[in-house]
Amino acid sequence: MVKRVKTGIRGFDELVQGGFPIASTILLTGSPGTGKTIFGLQFLYNGASKFNEKGLYVTFEQTERALVEQAKLFGWDFEKYLKNKSIQILHISTREINQETTKSIVEKVMKEKIHRLVIDSISTLAINAPIYTFMTDTALIDISNGRSFFSPPIVGDFIVKRFIYSFIDDLRNVDHCTTIMISESPEKGEYLSRDTISEFVCDGIIHIVFESMGGEFSRSLLVRKMRHTKNDEDIHPLEINNKGLVVHSTEK
Ligand SMILES: Nc1ncnc2c1ncn2[C@@H]1O[C@H](COP(=O)(O)OP(=O)(O)OP(=O)(O)O)[C@@H](O)[C@H]1O
Ligand SMILES: [Mg+2]
């Protein structure tokens, strides 16, 4: 039996047989303002308050203050859990991202026995990935035939993919931690993530869409993939109310 990690988000866990498979990495993708950050905060808050599980929120975008304030709007008292370290928020500025960044996140998760990790966002991480510091990477020497080369767009893209791939791979080896990777989905195109690789490497994908239905905008959620799970395949209305997210059953 696969051990499952409950999000505690109303209406969500039953779509995935009770929760995310433990130690999985889930890509949470959607366009701006769809509720991705709220999902991540709720996952950690419920973890700490209902299941006594330690959470780490890594943000490259909002400050700790801003996230705590955002959580307060839904009645989630993050300060209480920040004080006893059952939730931690790690704000890393994009200028500080280097090849040690992902390593130090994984190390922290292992050392401090973090159960729930949120990365907000993998898109920002990928855009700021340390392209030039990887020049000695073996695979690069192979493809360049040992010669020097200069082809930033193609090689840069390749390095970013490897960077993302190895981060997700490293997390896979931490058997006590379940990860949500937040990702911006391109508005159009065949890929769900901008880096075009994380959707294949991650164990699950949740896609949130914000679109106009007969003139009114509304949110919906789809579990696009979930390894080891017979997941629900319908598109569900998603509501943000004053207690957080609620996933509704499909109107048939
Ligand atoms: N109390 C509330 N009630 C209803 N809707 C809310 C409430 N608070 C925020 N929202 C909605 O949630 C959205 C923000 O959610 P969130 O920050 O999780 O989005 P996001 O997907 O992380 O966006 P981004 O890609 O810009 O980071 C707002 O645009 C607003 O529409
Ligand atoms: Mg956000």
Side-chain angles (χ1 to χ4, degrees):
M1 264 264 283
V2 183
K3 241 177 134 183
R4 306 224 169 236
V5 175
K6 285 188 172 65
T7 64
I9 292 172
R10 246 177 74 199
F12 180 80
D13 294 325
E14 46 266 46
L15 306 184
V16 290
Q17 292 190 296
F20 299 135
I22 193 165
S24 58
T25 297
I26 311 299
L27 191 74
L28 174 60
T29 179
S31 48
T34 43
K36 304 181 296 297
T37 296
I38 299 172
F39 194 113
L41 291 172
Q42 199 165 0
F43 176 64
L44 292 200
Y45 186 77
N46 287 342
S49 64
K50 295 185 178 163
F51 307 112
N52 200 19
E53 292 190 351
K54 272 173 109 178
L56 172 64
Y57 199 105
V58 179
T59 171
F60 304 107
E61 289 163 21
Q62 285 155 283
T63 59
E64 174 173 326
R65 188 81 256 132
L67 288 172
V68 169
E69 289 303 317
Q70 191 172 1
K72 229 178 242 168
L73 295 175
F74 302 105
W76 306 328
D77 181 6
F78 264 55
E79 270 146 1
K80 173 178 165 193
Y81 294 97
L82 289 171
K83 249 183 227 139
N84 69 13
K85 280 191 125 196
S86 49
I87 296 179
Q88 296 180 64
I89 298 176
L90 183 62
H91 175 250
I92 301 173
S93 103
T94 49
R95 268 169 282 123
E96 289 165 5
I97 296 172
N98 59 40
Q99 76 246 61
E100 297 305 317
T101 308
T102 52
K103 275 198 203 118
S104 65
I105 295 170
V106 176
E107 270 167 29
K108 189 173 171 66
V109 164
M110 291 203 291
K111 209 170 86 199
E112 302 185 22
K113 281 246 175 281
I114 302 289
H115 296 106
R116 298 177 180 225
L117 172 67
V118 176
I119 305 292
D120 194 356
S121 69
I122 189 88
S123 320
T124 312
L125 187 62
I127 291 167
N128 296 283
I131 301 186
Y132 301 106
T133 48
F134 270 80
M135 280 307 187
T136 50
D137 193 286
T138 346
L140 279 181
I141 291 167
D142 288 345
I143 60 163
S144 68
N145 217 359
R147 291 190 303 261
S148 59
F149 58 87
F150 189 68
S151 177
I154 294 172
V155 175
D157 188 48
F158 175 77
I159 296 168
V160 169
K161 284 193 172 123
R162 289 202 51 173
F163 180 73
I164 300 292
Y165 188 91
S166 57
F167 184 33
I168 296 172
D169 205 38
D170 287 347
L171 284 170
R172 184 163 289 136
N173 297 324
V174 189
D175 61 6
H176 52 80
C177 184
T178 307
T179 303
I180 292 181
M181 297 261 178
I182 292 176
S183 162
E184 283 167 25
S185 59
E187 294 288 347
K188 288 191 176 67
E190 57 187 306
Y191 293 106
L192 286 165
S193 66
R194 289 186 196 280
D195 59 72
T196 72
I197 175 95
S198 41
E199 62 218 67
F200 296 102
V201 187
C202 283
D203 304 298
I205 305 172
I206 301 161
H207 192 191
I208 309 181
V209 176
F210 187 57
E211 62 188 357
S212 157
M213 307 255 273
E216 246 182 78
F217 274 87
S218 61
R219 293 179 175 79
S220 57
L221 177 147
L222 167 71
V223 179
R224 181 67 185 65
K225 127 176 170 185
M226 195 63 58
R227 288 178 183 150
H228 310 296
T229 306
K230 185 173 175 354
N231 60 280
D232 182 287
E233 293 177 345
D234 291 327
I235 296 172
H236 291 261
L238 178 70
E239 182 196 342
I240 305 177
N241 68 23
N242 60 6
K243 287 188 185 144
L245 298 176
V246 183
V247 181
H248 292 283
S249 53
T250 19
E251 291 140 14
K252 283 191 173 154

